[in-house]
Structure formats: structure tokens, C-alpha cells
């Protein structure tokens, strides 16, 4: 589950137990700072194989909001690939 994975990453970066992190607690309220946000973005991108930008996180610094944003990326990506034409859908022609 995305929230669980995000929570584990926060716990590692903030050096707290995952059980102490609420899905609604702000990252900065737990001791996060701008340098940790950069590390957080790197960890999230590596863990989920996505390309989040730092500004994506500053607007939603709770586990719940970040997880929802990541899930939305996966949903958007899945819908993009299901509607993409296959190579076999195109006609072949000679120039």
C-alpha cells in the first residue's frame, strides 16, 4: 500500500518509528526540513519509479496527500498506456 511505503520512508528520514507518524501529520511538524525534502523526493522517485518534483511535495506534505498524489500518477500513467495506439494500428507506407 502506498501510504505504508511513504510512511516507512518518512520514518527512516526523520529517524522516528513509523507507528508515530499519522497520515495527516505535516512533514515539517515531525522535524522535516528542506534538505530532508530533497532526500524524500529522491527516495519516493526511486521507490515508486516515478519523477516527482520538489514543488509537488511542498503543496501536500502529509503521508495521505503524497500517497494520493503518487496513486494519481499511477492511475494517469495506466490510463495513458491503455489509450495509446499500438504500432500495429498504423498503416505502413513508403516515402
Amino acid at each position: 500500500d502506498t501510504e505504508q511505503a511513504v510512511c516507512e520512508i518518512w520514518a527512516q528520514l526523520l529517524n522516528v518509528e513509523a507507528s508515530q507518524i499519522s497520515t495527516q501529520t505535516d512533514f515539517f511538524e515531525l522535524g522535516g526540513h528542506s534538505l530532508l525534502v530533497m532526500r524524500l523526493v529522491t527516495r519516493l522517485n526511486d521507490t515508486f519509479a516515478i519523477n516527482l518534483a520538489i514543488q509537488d511535495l511542498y503543496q501536500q506534505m502529509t503521508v495521505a496527500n503524497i500517497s494520493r498524489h503518487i496513486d494519481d500518477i499511477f492511475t494517469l500513467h495506466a490510463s495513458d498506456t491503455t489509450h495509446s495506439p499500438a504500432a500495429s494500428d498504423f498503416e505502413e507506407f513508403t516515402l
Side-chain angles (χ1 to χ4, degrees):
D1 151 78
T2 306
E3 279 189 357
Q4 181 67 33
V6 171
C7 189
E8 297 282 336
I9 293 168
W10 279 35
Q12 292 168 1
L13 291 175
L14 296 167
N15 200 27
V16 298
E17 292 293 321
S19 61
Q20 297 176 319
I21 300 173
S22 161
T23 59
Q24 298 303 318
T25 304
D26 186 273
F27 184 76
F28 297 107
E29 291 174 9
L30 292 173
H33 51 76
S34 58
L35 294 176
L36 282 180
V37 171
M38 293 186 335
R39 290 178 62 198
L40 175 62
V41 168
T42 300
R43 287 272 191 89
L44 293 171
N45 286 339
D46 291 348
T47 300
F48 294 101
I50 56 177
N51 192 20
L52 284 176
I54 290 174
Q55 56 268 31
D56 292 334
L57 296 187
Y58 271 109
Q59 297 177 6
Q60 43 206 356
M61 290 304 294
T62 66
V63 169
N65 288 344
I66 291 171
S67 299
R68 192 174 310 111
H69 186 71
I70 291 169
D71 288 341
D72 289 347
I73 290 170
F74 285 127
T75 301
L76 180 63
H77 179 69
S79 67
D80 283 350
T81 58
T82 57
H83 298 304
S84 297
S88 61
D89 292 339
F90 294 102
E91 267 185 58
E92 198 173 311
F93 63 94
T94 307
L95 294 174

